[in-house]
Amino acid sequence: MPENLSIEEMELGTRANNALAAANLVTVGDVLELLKQGDDAVLGLQGVGQTALIKIKRYMRDEELID
């Protein structure tokens, strides 16, 4: 299950990984739950910008976790 994988599997880069980890988001599933709250919830994290959001959504689509 991709949801159980570490955030490092998304290959977002050090800054975004650190930002997610600082927000206590350690698995793909954790990030998916935040993403379900909307783009602004993800963008509200310090260190996560538009590029990281695009990469997160691309990964989630590739893994068929979102449409």
Side-chain angles (χ1 to χ4, degrees):
M1 297 291 287
E3 293 96 332
N4 297 327
L5 294 175
S6 168
I7 55 171
E8 283 84 15
E9 297 299 320
M10 290 191 284
E11 299 179 359
L12 301 175
T14 305
R15 181 176 175 181
N17 282 347
N18 289 344
L20 294 174
N24 211 23
L25 303 171
V26 294
T27 67
V28 171
D30 293 339
V31 179
L32 181 60
E33 288 304 310
L34 184 64
L35 187 59
K36 287 179 180 177
Q37 297 174 31
D39 291 358
D40 288 341
V42 179
L43 291 171
L45 298 175
Q46 181 77 27
V48 176
Q50 201 67 39
T51 302
L53 177 63
I54 290 166
K55 288 180 179 180
I56 290 168
K57 291 175 118 179
R58 184 176 298 138
Y59 177 87
M60 297 294 184
R61 283 190 193 101
D62 289 349
E63 294 296 326
E64 299 181 351
L65 298 172
I66 63 172
D67 294 327

